[in-house]
């Protein structure tokens, strides 16, 4: 059996399979390509700027980048924090506003426990690492941490 591929139009592929002198044509849809020069855009949705938090708090938002996003990390007072940030959360609102990024799952979120931090004001920075290895801040909020 021999298979040939012929690109007909953006996002469409014609598959032609030849076997026993019988030809079969099927169409497959390819994922459209995103312009890698599109800049990183992102936002911290929660907690809001100036929020007061105590104990464990949620942190979340969205990020899109033409190069794609490999990982996210957050820092408190310029110190990287350990912990996993879940990526790939559906955000149809972001996809609707920025269709050129072709990303419907740009949301991210995590939880952080303030137990190891002193009470007072702290700066939280979220940073994205692209699939090309570039680092970029996507948002900063200042929080007031209270102790229980």
């Amino acid at each position: 059996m021999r298979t040939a591929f012929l690109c007909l139009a953006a996002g469409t592929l014609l598959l032609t399979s030849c076997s026993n002198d019988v030809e079969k044509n099927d169409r497959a849809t390819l994922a459209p390509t995103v312009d890698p020069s599109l800049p990183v855009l992102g936002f911290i949705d929660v907690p809001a700027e100036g929020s007061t938090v105590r104990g464990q708090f949620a942190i979340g938002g969205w990020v899109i980048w033409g190069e794609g996003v490999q990982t996210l990390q957050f820092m408190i007072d310029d110190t990287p924090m350990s912990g996993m940030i879940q990526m790939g959360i559906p955000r149809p609102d972001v996809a609707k506003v920025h269709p050129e990024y072709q990303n419907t799952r740009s949301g991210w979120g995590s939880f952080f426990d303030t137990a190891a931090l002193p009470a007072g004001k702290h700066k939280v920075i979220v940073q994205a690492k692209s699939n090309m290895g570039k680092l970029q801040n996507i948002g900063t909020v200042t929080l007031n941490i209270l102790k229980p």
Side-chain angles (χ1 to χ4, degrees), residues 2 10 18 27 48 51 65-66 75 85 90 93 99 108 114 142:
R2 159 185 98 195
C18 301
R27 290 189 186 275
S51 293
W65 201 339
M75 297 178 284
I85 298 178
D93 57 325
W108 57 267
T114 63
T142 301

Side-chain angles (χ1 to χ4, degrees), residues 27-121:
R27 290 189 186 275
T29 302
L30 299 177
T33 57
V34 176
D35 180 355
S37 70
L38 289 171
V40 64
L41 300 175
F43 192 74
I44 299 172
D45 290 321
V46 292
E49 173 65 28
S51 293
T52 297
V53 296
R54 176 186 314 201
Q56 192 175 60
F57 69 92
I59 182 167
W62 58 272
V63 62
I64 49 180
W65 201 339
E67 295 181 6
V69 178
Q70 185 179 63
T71 59
L72 290 171
Q73 73 170 6
F74 62 97
M75 297 178 284
I76 296 184
D77 300 329
D78 298 320
T79 301
M81 296 288 114
S82 61
M84 188 166 138
I85 298 178
Q86 180 184 355
M87 295 172 54
I89 298 170
R91 287 298 300 259
D93 57 325
V94 176
K96 185 176 181 179
V97 174
H98 300 286
E100 67 278 15
Y101 286 84
Q102 302 171 27
N103 186 341
T104 60
R105 302 180 69 83
S106 61
W108 57 267
S110 188
F111 290 93
F112 183 76
D113 191 345
T114 63
L117 296 172
K121 292 197 181 293

